[in-house]
Amino acid sequence: VLTINGDPDRARDIVRSAINLNPSDALYRALAEVEVARLGALFNREDVPVDTVRVQFQEILGSAIDAGRKATEIDNTNYENWLALGRVYAAVVSLNIDGAYENAVASFDVARKLKPKGPALALERARLEAAHGDTDAAREHASSAVALKNNYSDAIFFLAQIDVSEGNTRGAITSLEAAT
């Protein structure tokens, strides 16, 4: 749905129509994801005045947060719902929006409590910490993901990226060799 002809607006309309027919946490999660994609598309447009971008950004972000929250309201025991909400907030952490980081952390924490042995959740948190500028915390969470699944290549590659960003090319090579 998200990539219908590369048109996230059309995808949003389709998901909203489905929600009107049968609201479910899965559809609200999908809507949250589509809205995050719409945010990305908005930032890639150069033909829109800054004031218009600001208004559209607020509308899309509000819709994304609302969709994520509705998913958690429908089923607050499903870690995927909390993960979707956390991803919405995480998408705007690098923009220094008040409360985005804290809300992402809180959502990811609930998701991890619901699925404590999920390495992907630890990696999501690692990516959040990296976006927030805390490479030590990012490394800690990525290492936690690897501890949960020792051949988790996404986490190993993420650790290698951290090493490269810190100028530790040898450490990155060692991590990648271990992964292969």
Side-chain angles (χ1 to χ4, degrees), residues 43 51 96 112 131 150:
F43 289 129
D51 290 340
N96 295 319
R112 289 218 40 205
N150 65 357

Side-chain angles (χ1 to χ4, degrees), residues 13-73:
D13 294 342
I14 291 169
V15 173
R16 281 185 175 171
S17 293
I19 287 171
N20 287 335
L21 293 172
N22 184 23
S24 70
D25 61 328
L27 288 173
Y28 279 110
R29 281 194 315 268
L31 181 58
E33 183 179 335
V34 167
E35 295 294 34
V36 169
R38 288 183 66 221
L39 283 174
L42 178 64
F43 289 129
N44 288 330
R45 293 189 60 193
E46 295 176 4
D47 62 328
V48 181
V50 172
D51 290 340
T52 303
V53 169
R54 187 175 296 120
V55 169
Q56 288 179 351
F57 173 81
Q58 290 173 343
E59 178 265 321
I60 295 168
L61 180 59
S63 177
I65 292 169
D66 184 56
R69 285 184 179 160
K70 284 182 179 169
T72 65
E73 289 167 8

Side-chain angles (χ1 to χ4, degrees), residues 140-158:
E140 178 183 323
H141 288 285
S143 295
S144 165
V146 173
L148 290 167
K149 182 179 180 191
N150 65 357
N151 63 346
Y152 190 24
S153 60
D154 287 348
I156 294 167
F157 289 131
F158 184 78

Side-chain angles (χ1 to χ4, degrees), residues 38-131:
R38 288 183 66 221
L39 283 174
L42 178 64
F43 289 129
N44 288 330
R45 293 189 60 193
E46 295 176 4
D47 62 328
V48 181
V50 172
D51 290 340
T52 303
V53 169
R54 187 175 296 120
V55 169
Q56 288 179 351
F57 173 81
Q58 290 173 343
E59 178 265 321
I60 295 168
L61 180 59
S63 177
I65 292 169
D66 184 56
R69 285 184 179 160
K70 284 182 179 169
T72 65
E73 289 167 8
I74 290 172
D75 185 355
N76 67 1
T77 64
N78 185 339
Y79 81 92
E80 292 176 307
N81 296 336
W82 292 100
L83 178 61
L85 180 58
R87 284 178 174 161
V88 169
Y89 288 117
V92 296
V93 162
S94 64
L95 301 175
N96 295 319
I97 293 177
D98 285 341
Y101 171 75
E102 294 80 8
N103 285 308
V105 167
S107 298
F108 288 156
D109 284 352
V110 173
R112 289 218 40 205
K113 284 178 185 162
L114 293 170
K115 188 174 182 183
K117 295 187 185 219
L121 299 175
L123 183 56
E124 286 285 344
R125 180 66 186 274
R127 289 181 174 139
L128 172 66
E129 296 300 341

